[in-house]
Amino acid sequence: MKLCSIRLNNVRRFTSPVEIKDIGPGLNVLSAPNEQGKSTILDALHALFFKDAKSRDKDVRSLVPHSGGDPEISATIDLDGDQFKIEKIFSKSVSKGEVKIYRNGHLFKQSGEAEEWLAELMTSPKDGGPAGLLWVRQGVMPS
């Protein structure tokens, strides 16, 4: 699995859409001065891949900007030569979050089926998940 792009809207400081495109193979570096949103981008990626769209836990609530609104996160990944676009909207309303996954531009999975597909995709390599995944989050220590 290769991350190709990420787009945020209504996520903490990013109250207008922001997108990082053309993430290439190999080492990519995200560099900016302090308080420019680097951790926000990584926290949003974590929510996209590991949090249910209907979740209201503290990690998801922390993504809501001070001005309000529903956090919207999407990413495009390359998986075995296919392009997948994953879109999630985390709603303040209970049980109203949305998730859709597109494969090569066509709707592939949505709702519970999409969450199940993501959970399976993100399992550890020993359980059949992607090998070589390195996931680092600021201030979070492994247990």
Side-chain angles (χ1 to χ4, degrees):
M1 176 177 85
K2 184 185 100 169
L3 181 67
C4 302
S5 68
I6 180 170
R7 184 177 189 278
L8 310 179
N9 187 35
N10 276 329
V11 179
R12 292 187 190 146
R13 70 179 298 116
F14 301 114
T15 54
S16 296
V18 64
E19 185 169 15
I20 299 172
K21 297 181 184 181
D22 302 323
I23 299 172
L27 179 65
N28 289 268
V29 177
L30 181 61
S31 175
N34 288 342
E35 300 302 320
Q36 297 302 304
K38 299 178 301 291
S39 293
T40 295
I41 292 166
L42 296 176
D43 288 346
L45 274 173
H46 180 263
L48 181 69
F49 286 106
F50 295 102
K51 299 291 181 174
D52 190 289
K54 295 180 180 177
S55 174
R56 294 299 306 141
D57 72 10
K58 67 179 177 110
D59 290 337
V60 170
R61 289 191 316 268
S62 79
L63 298 175
V64 176
H66 292 297
S67 61
D70 294 336
E72 300 174 20
I73 306 162
S74 66
T76 303
I77 62 170
D78 184 288
L79 183 63
D80 298 327
D82 287 322
Q83 290 277 313
F84 291 87
K85 182 176 184 182
I86 304 157
E87 299 177 340
K88 278 193 185 179
I89 299 174
F90 294 95
S91 177
K92 291 178 289 202
S93 303
V94 175
S95 299
K96 287 228 174 179
E98 295 179 34
V99 59
K100 292 182 179 178
I101 300 173
Y102 297 86
R103 180 179 176 186
N104 299 323
H106 301 284
L107 185 61
F108 174 63
K109 305 255 183 209
Q110 61 184 334
S111 302
E113 286 185 0
E115 295 290 4
E116 289 173 15
W117 185 84
L118 281 170
E120 186 175 312
L121 178 67
M122 299 313 295
T123 57
S124 73
K126 68 178 180 160
D127 295 324
L133 178 64
L134 175 62
W135 201 269
V136 179
R137 294 181 64 212
Q138 182 175 340
V140 178
M141 299 297 293
S143 51

